[in-house]
Amino acid sequence: MRIFLLLLFGSLCMMVGQVQGQQANPNYVFPAGTNPVQYKNYYLLTLFAQDSAVRKLILNDPELKTYAKNRTLKISDALKNCGADIACLSGVFKFSEAEVIAISKRLTALFKQDEALKNLVKQELIPSGCYISYGALKPVDLLVKAWEQEAKALNFAIAVYVEGAKPNYPKIDSIGFNVRDKSYPELVRMNGVLSSVNPDRLFFEPSMQFALIALDINERNDAADYEPMMTTVNRESLKAIKKTNFAAYKYSLILVPGEGPEEQNTELSAGGMLRCRLAVAEYRKGVAPFIMVSGGRVHPFKTKYSEAYEMKKYLMNTLQIPERVIIMEPHARHTTTNMRNAARIMFRYGMPMEKVALTVTAPSQSRYIGAELMARCVKDLGYEPYRLGARLSDFALEFYPNVSSLQLDFDEPMDP
């Protein structure tokens, strides 16, 4: 019954995504010159900070100004009095449920009073697709849901990468410090001071800065890897996509999920090499114009090697595949996000979302993608990032990308 309910919820979310997906714009451009870790995790808050009309509205609002002032005083008091109590200090940078609700009510009131927030939702939030799961809601409710999600995202990052709480995948994504070390509270306090030095800040900016610095000193800026990909690692493939007649191919692309090595100094596992070879065998049959390699810096803990980058090197240097054929997806940390991130890139790069794609991988993972993974996606992500097609072999499985995959994930700061 639980699995049935999860699948039913995922189907409903997918329907919502399709409604919103009619408005998400594949040509939407994210802000240049902004830290990708920031805008990929906290896009609404990034827009609040950068949109001059919205920033002015929030800065000048008496209620939010008072809230920001009181928050600054609480932070100052914590810096003076918390000592070595990490939770005492980090707690003032997190948002309580009562605070989230109060700010939601104030944003609702401001939305009704001023055009700035209305324009932000219409011109930025909806076309970005970042909050596509809320697409069936009224614009003001979409704004509130986005704010509530960003507050949860900040709290999650602080809980894991300051306080040492368990992330979703503890073996690979845990905090990099011993929180019981005598010197650690000093690091937290220094972060607190740096995050609160500017008094002329929006109500959320000290918390956002505190979370971003925590990710940085933990060496957890994976969300920024190879960005902006459209002008770096995927520049040649993006140019090729724009010239491709997809109707001439059975599949839009061949997706290769990575398999990270367990040895610290191994660049690419044997499993990764073999998966690349499976993809090349299909590519040389002429079934698809592109190969997408998917996988971030995942295994082992805090590895410096990106699965997608190492697979791209292997495809080019060993298997003689041209760079224009290879699309890199270097952020996924699980099979759920292999599938989700592939769909995201396909949408944002202007590939046909209605066309079937192919994934090739080890039989065990292929069976997982074709069976249990969908329920795992609904549990972890809240929606189905793909729809299954036909099984071709133990290695090869068809799938259809889902535009609902554009939705940001609040509890995966390295791959939101």
Side-chain angles (χ1 to χ4, degrees), residues 87-145:
C88 171
L89 180 53
S90 63
V92 298
F93 287 94
K94 296 164 78 173
F95 290 94
S96 69
E97 184 177 349
E99 289 173 326
V100 172
I101 292 172
I103 293 168
S104 294
K105 290 179 179 178
R106 192 58 197 152
L107 290 174
T108 299
L110 290 175
F111 182 94
K112 296 175 180 178
Q113 296 171 15
D114 195 284
E115 293 296 315
L117 286 174
K118 294 177 183 177
N119 291 336
L120 189 80
V121 173
K122 180 180 179 181
Q123 298 170 10
E124 304 291 347
L125 294 195
I126 291 175
S128 77
C130 292
Y131 309 95
I132 200 167
S133 291
Y134 314 129
L137 300 178
K138 296 177 181 178
V140 65
D141 295 326
L142 187 153
L143 174 70
V144 168
K145 282 290 187 181

Side-chain angles (χ1 to χ4, degrees), residues 184-195:
Y184 182 63
E186 185 175 70
L187 295 178
V188 177
R189 187 179 181 280
M190 289 168 66
N191 183 357
V193 171
L194 290 168
S195 299

Side-chain angles (χ1 to χ4, degrees), residues 121-182:
V121 173
K122 180 180 179 181
Q123 298 170 10
E124 304 291 347
L125 294 195
I126 291 175
S128 77
C130 292
Y131 309 95
I132 200 167
S133 291
Y134 314 129
L137 300 178
K138 296 177 181 178
V140 65
D141 295 326
L142 187 153
L143 174 70
V144 168
K145 282 290 187 181
W147 149 245
E148 291 172 351
Q149 176 172 309
E150 310 259 301
K152 285 199 299 182
L154 288 170
N155 286 355
F156 182 88
I158 293 169
V160 173
Y161 294 108
V162 177
E163 298 169 352
K166 283 187 177 181
N168 293 322
Y169 308 111
K171 289 184 179 180
I172 55 173
D173 293 342
S174 294
I175 190 172
F177 298 97
N178 179 358
V179 297
R180 295 181 179 85
D181 191 286
K182 291 181 180 180

